[in-house]
Short mmCIF file of all heavy atoms in Angstrom, two decimals:
data_model
loop_
_atom_site.label_atom_id
_atom_site.label_comp_id
_atom_site.label_asym_id
_atom_site.label_seq_id
_atom_site.Cartn_x
_atom_site.Cartn_y
_atom_site.Cartn_z
N GLY C 62 23.84 -14.40 20.85
CA GLY C 62 24.07 -13.71 22.15
C GLY C 62 24.58 -12.26 22.18
O GLY C 62 24.68 -11.71 23.27
N TYR C 63 24.85 -11.77 21.02
CA TYR C 63 25.21 -10.35 20.92
C TYR C 63 24.14 -9.46 20.36
O TYR C 63 23.86 -8.32 20.79
CB TYR C 63 26.48 -10.18 20.15
CG TYR C 63 26.87 -8.77 19.71
CD1 TYR C 63 27.65 -8.09 20.65
CD2 TYR C 63 26.48 -8.22 18.58
CE1 TYR C 63 27.97 -6.78 20.24
CE2 TYR C 63 26.78 -6.91 18.18
CZ TYR C 63 27.62 -6.20 19.11
OH TYR C 63 27.91 -4.92 18.76
N GLY C 64 23.41 -10.06 19.41
CA GLY C 64 22.44 -9.13 18.73
C GLY C 64 22.92 -8.67 17.44
O GLY C 64 23.96 -9.01 16.92
N TYR C 65 22.18 -7.78 16.87
CA TYR C 65 22.54 -7.19 15.52
C TYR C 65 23.10 -5.76 15.65
O TYR C 65 22.59 -5.02 16.56
CB TYR C 65 21.24 -7.07 14.72
CG TYR C 65 20.57 -8.44 14.37
CD1 TYR C 65 19.47 -8.71 14.97
CD2 TYR C 65 21.17 -9.29 13.49
CE1 TYR C 65 18.83 -9.99 14.71
CE2 TYR C 65 20.55 -10.43 13.22
CZ TYR C 65 19.39 -10.89 13.86
OH TYR C 65 18.81 -12.00 13.57
N ASN C 66 24.03 -5.46 14.90
CA ASN C 66 24.61 -4.06 14.81
C ASN C 66 23.61 -3.31 13.90
O ASN C 66 23.43 -3.72 12.70
CB ASN C 66 25.93 -4.15 14.24
CG ASN C 66 26.56 -2.77 14.04
OD1 ASN C 66 25.81 -1.84 13.47
ND2 ASN C 66 27.82 -2.51 14.36
N VAL C 67 22.90 -2.36 14.47
CA VAL C 67 21.84 -1.68 13.82
C VAL C 67 22.20 -1.01 12.49
O VAL C 67 21.60 -1.40 11.40
CB VAL C 67 21.17 -0.59 14.73
CG1 VAL C 67 20.14 0.25 13.98
CG2 VAL C 67 20.50 -1.23 15.92
N SER C 68 23.28 -0.28 12.48
CA SER C 68 23.71 0.47 11.20
C SER C 68 24.18 -0.53 10.19
O SER C 68 23.78 -0.38 9.00
CB SER C 68 24.88 1.44 11.48
OG SER C 68 24.52 2.23 12.52
N GLU C 69 24.94 -1.61 10.56
CA GLU C 69 25.47 -2.57 9.65
C GLU C 69 24.28 -3.37 9.05
O GLU C 69 24.20 -3.66 7.88
CB GLU C 69 26.45 -3.46 10.39
CG GLU C 69 27.08 -4.48 9.51
CD GLU C 69 27.83 -3.94 8.28
OE1 GLU C 69 28.09 -2.67 8.22
OE2 GLU C 69 27.97 -4.73 7.35
N LEU C 70 23.38 -3.81 9.92
CA LEU C 70 22.22 -4.56 9.44
C LEU C 70 21.39 -3.75 8.40
O LEU C 70 21.02 -4.21 7.29
CB LEU C 70 21.37 -5.00 10.65
CG LEU C 70 20.14 -5.85 10.29
CD1 LEU C 70 20.42 -7.07 9.52
CD2 LEU C 70 19.33 -6.14 11.59
N ARG C 71 21.13 -2.50 8.76
CA ARG C 71 20.42 -1.59 7.83
C ARG C 71 21.19 -1.46 6.47
O ARG C 71 20.60 -1.51 5.43
CB ARG C 71 20.25 -0.26 8.54
CG ARG C 71 19.35 0.73 7.68
CD ARG C 71 18.85 1.87 8.45
NE ARG C 71 18.07 2.71 7.64
CZ ARG C 71 18.47 3.76 7.03
NH1 ARG C 71 19.77 4.17 7.14
NH2 ARG C 71 17.67 4.53 6.31
N ARG C 72 22.44 -1.32 6.58
CA ARG C 72 23.20 -1.09 5.39
C ARG C 72 23.15 -2.33 4.44
O ARG C 72 22.93 -2.26 3.25
CB ARG C 72 24.72 -0.83 5.74
CG ARG C 72 25.58 -0.21 4.57
CD ARG C 72 26.99 -0.10 5.08
NE ARG C 72 27.65 -1.44 5.34
CZ ARG C 72 28.20 -2.23 4.39
NH1 ARG C 72 28.20 -1.78 3.12
NH2 ARG C 72 28.69 -3.33 4.70
N GLN C 73 23.24 -3.43 5.08
CA GLN C 73 23.22 -4.72 4.32
C GLN C 73 21.82 -4.96 3.69
O GLN C 73 21.70 -5.45 2.57
CB GLN C 73 23.62 -5.89 5.24
CG GLN C 73 24.96 -5.83 5.75
CD GLN C 73 25.66 -7.17 5.71
OE1 GLN C 73 25.47 -7.98 4.89
NE2 GLN C 73 26.51 -7.42 6.71
N ILE C 74 20.81 -4.64 4.48
CA ILE C 74 19.47 -4.83 3.87
C ILE C 74 19.22 -3.84 2.75
O ILE C 74 18.65 -4.13 1.66
CB ILE C 74 18.35 -4.68 5.00
CG1 ILE C 74 18.42 -5.79 5.99
CG2 ILE C 74 16.94 -4.64 4.41
CD1 ILE C 74 17.44 -5.69 7.19
N GLY C 75 19.76 -2.63 2.90
CA GLY C 75 19.72 -1.60 1.87
C GLY C 75 20.37 -2.11 0.59
O GLY C 75 19.82 -1.88 -0.55
N ILE C 76 21.58 -2.80 0.70
CA ILE C 76 22.24 -3.31 -0.43
C ILE C 76 21.38 -4.41 -1.17
O ILE C 76 21.14 -4.48 -2.37
CB ILE C 76 23.56 -3.90 -0.11
CG1 ILE C 76 24.55 -2.74 0.28
CG2 ILE C 76 24.24 -4.69 -1.27
CD1 ILE C 76 25.86 -3.21 0.99
N ILE C 77 20.78 -5.25 -0.32
CA ILE C 77 19.85 -6.35 -0.81
C ILE C 77 18.77 -5.77 -1.54
O ILE C 77 18.35 -6.19 -2.65
CB ILE C 77 19.36 -7.25 0.27
CG1 ILE C 77 20.53 -8.06 0.95
CG2 ILE C 77 18.24 -8.18 -0.20
CD1 ILE C 77 20.22 -8.72 2.32
N LEU C 78 18.22 -4.61 -1.11
CA LEU C 78 17.08 -3.95 -1.69
C LEU C 78 17.41 -3.06 -2.95
O LEU C 78 16.61 -2.56 -3.68
CB LEU C 78 16.36 -3.08 -0.60
CG LEU C 78 15.57 -3.82 0.46
CD1 LEU C 78 15.18 -2.87 1.56
CD2 LEU C 78 14.39 -4.50 -0.12
N GLY C 79 18.74 -3.03 -3.18
CA GLY C 79 19.25 -2.24 -4.26
C GLY C 79 18.92 -0.75 -4.14
O GLY C 79 18.83 -0.04 -5.15
N LEU C 80 19.04 -0.28 -2.94
CA LEU C 80 18.68 1.19 -2.71
C LEU C 80 19.77 2.16 -3.11
O LEU C 80 19.55 3.37 -3.22
CB LEU C 80 18.33 1.36 -1.20
CG LEU C 80 17.21 0.57 -0.63
CD1 LEU C 80 16.82 0.98 0.74
CD2 LEU C 80 15.97 0.65 -1.63
N ASP C 81 21.00 1.62 -3.47
CA ASP C 81 22.04 2.50 -4.01
C ASP C 81 21.97 2.59 -5.47
O ASP C 81 22.85 3.16 -6.02
CB ASP C 81 23.40 1.92 -3.45
CG ASP C 81 23.54 0.45 -3.71
OD1 ASP C 81 22.48 -0.17 -4.15
OD2 ASP C 81 24.66 -0.09 -3.58
N SER C 82 21.01 2.02 -6.05
CA SER C 82 21.06 1.80 -7.54
C SER C 82 20.57 3.07 -8.31
O SER C 82 20.91 3.30 -9.47
CB SER C 82 20.34 0.64 -8.00
OG SER C 82 19.03 0.72 -7.64
N LYS C 83 19.74 3.93 -7.79
CA LYS C 83 19.18 5.07 -8.42
C LYS C 83 18.72 4.84 -9.82
O LYS C 83 19.07 5.45 -10.74
CB LYS C 83 20.26 6.21 -8.46
CG LYS C 83 20.98 6.47 -7.09
CD LYS C 83 20.16 7.23 -6.18
CE LYS C 83 20.73 7.46 -4.81
NZ LYS C 83 20.19 6.52 -3.74
N THR C 84 17.84 3.78 -9.94
CA THR C 84 17.25 3.48 -11.19
C THR C 84 16.44 4.67 -11.74
O THR C 84 15.52 5.17 -11.06
CB THR C 84 16.23 2.24 -10.98
OG1 THR C 84 16.93 1.17 -10.30
CG2 THR C 84 15.64 1.79 -12.24
N PRO C 85 16.69 5.05 -12.99
CA PRO C 85 15.90 6.17 -13.51
C PRO C 85 14.46 5.78 -13.76
O PRO C 85 14.12 4.73 -14.30
CB PRO C 85 16.56 6.45 -14.90
CG PRO C 85 17.40 5.19 -15.21
CD PRO C 85 17.74 4.53 -13.96
N MET C 86 13.54 6.65 -13.34
CA MET C 86 12.03 6.42 -13.34
C MET C 86 11.35 7.58 -13.95
O MET C 86 11.77 8.76 -13.69
CB MET C 86 11.70 6.13 -11.84
CG MET C 86 10.22 5.89 -11.62
SD MET C 86 9.88 5.42 -9.91
CE MET C 86 9.15 3.79 -10.17
N ILE C 87 10.33 7.34 -14.53
CA ILE C 87 9.47 8.49 -15.09
C ILE C 87 7.95 8.35 -14.49
O ILE C 87 7.59 7.25 -14.10
CB ILE C 87 9.35 8.54 -16.65
CG1 ILE C 87 8.87 7.19 -17.19
CG2 ILE C 87 10.71 8.96 -17.19
CD1 ILE C 87 8.65 7.26 -18.67
N LEU C 88 7.33 9.49 -14.46
CA LEU C 88 5.94 9.48 -14.01
C LEU C 88 5.06 9.73 -15.22
O LEU C 88 5.27 10.62 -15.97
CB LEU C 88 5.75 10.58 -12.98
CG LEU C 88 4.31 10.95 -12.64
CD1 LEU C 88 3.53 9.82 -11.97
CD2 LEU C 88 4.23 12.20 -11.72
N ILE C 89 4.10 8.83 -15.44
CA ILE C 89 3.09 9.05 -16.49
C ILE C 89 1.76 9.45 -15.85
O ILE C 89 1.14 8.60 -15.23
CB ILE C 89 2.90 7.74 -17.31
CG1 ILE C 89 4.32 7.27 -17.81
CG2 ILE C 89 2.06 8.05 -18.56
CD1 ILE C 89 5.04 8.05 -18.81
N GLY C 90 1.37 10.67 -16.06
CA GLY C 90 0.09 11.13 -15.50
C GLY C 90 0.35 12.07 -14.30
O GLY C 90 0.67 11.65 -13.18
N ALA C 91 0.20 13.45 -14.57
CA ALA C 91 0.54 14.37 -13.44
C ALA C 91 -0.79 15.00 -12.88
O ALA C 91 -0.88 16.21 -12.72
CB ALA C 91 1.47 15.40 -13.94
N GLY C 92 -1.86 14.22 -12.76
CA GLY C 92 -3.01 14.55 -12.08
C GLY C 92 -2.66 14.79 -10.56
O GLY C 92 -1.57 14.81 -10.13
N ASN C 93 -3.73 14.81 -9.65
CA ASN C 93 -3.59 14.92 -8.33
C ASN C 93 -2.67 13.88 -7.69
O ASN C 93 -1.65 14.11 -6.89
CB ASN C 93 -4.89 14.90 -7.54
CG ASN C 93 -5.59 16.21 -7.69
OD1 ASN C 93 -5.05 17.31 -7.50
ND2 ASN C 93 -6.91 16.20 -8.11
N LEU C 94 -2.89 12.57 -7.99
CA LEU C 94 -2.18 11.48 -7.40
C LEU C 94 -0.70 11.50 -7.85
O LEU C 94 0.23 11.51 -6.99
CB LEU C 94 -2.75 10.14 -7.77
CG LEU C 94 -2.06 8.94 -7.14
CD1 LEU C 94 -2.10 9.02 -5.65
CD2 LEU C 94 -2.73 7.63 -7.51
N GLY C 95 -0.55 11.71 -9.14
CA GLY C 95 0.86 11.73 -9.68
C GLY C 95 1.66 12.88 -9.14
O GLY C 95 2.82 12.72 -8.72
N THR C 96 1.02 14.10 -8.99
CA THR C 96 1.61 15.24 -8.39
C THR C 96 1.97 15.00 -6.97
O THR C 96 3.10 15.35 -6.51
CB THR C 96 0.74 16.47 -8.52
OG1 THR C 96 0.38 16.71 -9.89
CG2 THR C 96 1.38 17.68 -7.99
N ALA C 97 1.12 14.35 -6.26
CA ALA C 97 1.42 14.03 -4.75
C ALA C 97 2.52 13.09 -4.67
O ALA C 97 3.46 13.36 -3.85
CB ALA C 97 0.18 13.40 -4.15
N LEU C 98 2.69 12.09 -5.52
CA LEU C 98 3.73 11.15 -5.44
C LEU C 98 5.13 11.87 -5.73
O LEU C 98 6.09 11.68 -5.11
CB LEU C 98 3.46 9.95 -6.43
CG LEU C 98 2.26 9.07 -6.05
CD1 LEU C 98 2.09 8.05 -7.07
CD2 LEU C 98 2.52 8.40 -4.69
N ALA C 99 5.05 12.62 -6.91
CA ALA C 99 6.29 13.24 -7.37
C ALA C 99 6.76 14.32 -6.34
O ALA C 99 8.07 14.46 -6.19
CB ALA C 99 6.12 13.90 -8.75
N SER C 100 5.89 14.94 -5.60
CA SER C 100 6.33 16.00 -4.74
C SER C 100 6.68 15.44 -3.30
O SER C 100 7.50 16.06 -2.60
CB SER C 100 5.38 17.19 -4.68
OG SER C 100 4.06 16.76 -4.84
N HIS C 101 6.03 14.38 -2.86
CA HIS C 101 6.21 13.96 -1.45
C HIS C 101 7.20 12.79 -1.15
O HIS C 101 7.74 12.64 -0.15
CB HIS C 101 4.91 13.58 -0.86
CG HIS C 101 3.93 14.71 -0.74
ND1 HIS C 101 4.29 15.93 -0.12
CD2 HIS C 101 2.64 14.81 -1.04
CE1 HIS C 101 3.17 16.75 -0.27
NE2 HIS C 101 2.22 16.10 -0.75
N LEU C 102 7.48 12.05 -2.34
CA LEU C 102 8.35 10.89 -2.07
C LEU C 102 9.80 11.21 -2.24
O LEU C 102 10.20 11.91 -3.12
CB LEU C 102 7.99 9.79 -3.05
CG LEU C 102 6.78 8.97 -2.72
CD1 LEU C 102 6.47 7.88 -3.88
CD2 LEU C 102 7.10 8.10 -1.45
N ASP C 103 10.61 10.59 -1.35
CA ASP C 103 12.03 10.76 -1.50
C ASP C 103 12.58 9.55 -2.31
O ASP C 103 12.97 8.54 -1.80
CB ASP C 103 12.67 10.79 -0.03
CG ASP C 103 14.16 10.89 -0.11
OD1 ASP C 103 14.74 11.09 -1.21
OD2 ASP C 103 14.85 10.87 1.00
N PHE C 104 12.59 9.70 -3.62
CA PHE C 104 12.93 8.66 -4.59
C PHE C 104 14.41 8.13 -4.26
O PHE C 104 14.61 6.90 -4.27
CB PHE C 104 12.76 9.06 -6.00
CG PHE C 104 11.35 9.25 -6.31
CD1 PHE C 104 10.69 10.44 -6.22
CD2 PHE C 104 10.66 8.21 -6.86
CE1 PHE C 104 9.33 10.61 -6.60
CE2 PHE C 104 9.33 8.30 -7.24
CZ PHE C 104 8.64 9.56 -7.06
N GLY C 105 15.27 9.04 -4.05
CA GLY C 105 16.64 8.71 -3.82
C GLY C 105 16.84 7.69 -2.73
O GLY C 105 17.70 6.80 -2.74
N SER C 106 16.02 7.84 -1.68
CA SER C 106 16.25 6.94 -0.51
C SER C 106 15.72 5.58 -0.69
O SER C 106 15.87 4.69 0.09
CB SER C 106 15.67 7.63 0.78
OG SER C 106 14.26 7.52 0.73
N VAL C 107 14.97 5.34 -1.79
CA VAL C 107 14.36 4.01 -1.96
C VAL C 107 14.82 3.38 -3.34
O VAL C 107 14.15 2.53 -3.94
CB VAL C 107 12.84 4.00 -1.88
CG1 VAL C 107 12.40 4.16 -0.40
CG2 VAL C 107 12.15 5.05 -2.81
N GLY C 108 15.95 3.93 -3.87
CA GLY C 108 16.52 3.26 -5.01
C GLY C 108 16.29 3.84 -6.39
O GLY C 108 16.56 3.17 -7.38
N PHE C 109 15.58 4.91 -6.42
CA PHE C 109 15.19 5.50 -7.71
C PHE C 109 15.62 6.99 -7.88
O PHE C 109 16.07 7.58 -6.94
CB PHE C 109 13.66 5.41 -7.90
CG PHE C 109 13.21 4.01 -7.98
CD1 PHE C 109 12.84 3.21 -6.91
CD2 PHE C 109 13.12 3.45 -9.26
CE1 PHE C 109 12.38 1.99 -6.99
CE2 PHE C 109 12.69 2.10 -9.37
CZ PHE C 109 12.34 1.34 -8.23
N ARG C 110 15.52 7.40 -9.15
CA ARG C 110 15.77 8.82 -9.46
C ARG C 110 14.67 9.18 -10.44
O ARG C 110 14.56 8.56 -11.48
CB ARG C 110 17.22 8.84 -10.17
CG ARG C 110 17.72 10.12 -10.45
CD ARG C 110 19.32 9.99 -10.71
NE ARG C 110 19.59 8.91 -11.55
CZ ARG C 110 19.70 8.89 -12.89
NH1 ARG C 110 19.58 10.04 -13.59
NH2 ARG C 110 19.99 7.95 -13.63
N LEU C 111 13.90 10.17 -10.02
CA LEU C 111 12.77 10.60 -10.95
C LEU C 111 13.38 11.54 -12.01
O LEU C 111 13.93 12.56 -11.65
CB LEU C 111 11.71 11.28 -10.12
CG LEU C 111 10.36 11.62 -10.90
CD1 LEU C 111 9.68 10.42 -11.38
CD2 LEU C 111 9.45 12.53 -10.04
N VAL C 112 13.28 11.17 -13.26
CA VAL C 112 13.98 11.99 -14.33
C VAL C 112 13.05 12.63 -15.31
O VAL C 112 13.44 13.52 -16.04
CB VAL C 112 14.94 11.07 -15.14
CG1 VAL C 112 16.10 10.50 -14.25
CG2 VAL C 112 14.15 9.83 -15.78
N GLY C 113 11.66 12.25 -15.25
CA GLY C 113 10.71 12.93 -16.24
C GLY C 113 9.32 12.74 -15.76
O GLY C 113 8.95 11.75 -15.09
N ILE C 114 8.49 13.72 -16.11
CA ILE C 114 7.02 13.63 -15.80
C ILE C 114 6.28 13.96 -17.07
O ILE C 114 6.56 14.91 -17.79
CB ILE C 114 6.65 14.64 -14.74
CG1 ILE C 114 7.52 14.40 -13.45
CG2 ILE C 114 5.17 14.65 -14.46
CD1 ILE C 114 7.26 15.41 -12.32
N PHE C 115 5.40 13.04 -17.49
CA PHE C 115 4.67 13.17 -18.78
C PHE C 115 3.17 13.22 -18.59
O PHE C 115 2.56 12.54 -17.69
CB PHE C 115 5.11 12.11 -19.68
CG PHE C 115 6.56 12.12 -20.03
CD1 PHE C 115 7.53 11.54 -19.14
CD2 PHE C 115 6.98 12.87 -21.13
CE1 PHE C 115 8.92 11.67 -19.44
CE2 PHE C 115 8.33 12.95 -21.38
CZ PHE C 115 9.35 12.36 -20.52
N ASP C 116 2.48 13.93 -19.38
CA ASP C 116 1.03 14.04 -19.42
C ASP C 116 0.51 14.34 -20.81
O ASP C 116 1.24 14.75 -21.72
CB ASP C 116 0.49 15.07 -18.40
CG ASP C 116 -0.83 14.67 -17.88
OD1 ASP C 116 -1.82 14.68 -18.64
OD2 ASP C 116 -1.00 14.46 -16.62
N THR C 117 -0.77 14.08 -21.03
CA THR C 117 -1.32 14.49 -22.33
C THR C 117 -2.18 15.83 -22.22
O THR C 117 -2.44 16.44 -23.27
CB THR C 117 -2.51 13.40 -22.77
OG1 THR C 117 -3.42 13.36 -21.63
CG2 THR C 117 -1.85 12.13 -22.97
#
Side-chain angles (χ1 to χ4, degrees):
Chain C
Y63 170 86
Y65 300 104
N66 176 313
V67 171
S68 306
E69 180 55 19
L70 178 57
R71 180 164 184 264
R72 197 184 65 82
Q73 297 221 32
I74 293 177
I76 293 170
I77 292 164
L78 289 168
L80 300 189
D81 49 350
S82 59
K83 311 285 175 258
T84 304
M86 178 171 240
I87 55 175
L88 165 65
I89 310 292
N93 284 310
L94 184 58
T96 302
L98 295 173
S100 33
H101 294 312
L102 275 175
D103 181 3
F104 290 90
S106 73
V107 289
F109 293 90
R110 190 162 43 94
L111 188 66
V112 296
I114 301 175
F115 297 87
D116 206 296
T117 55

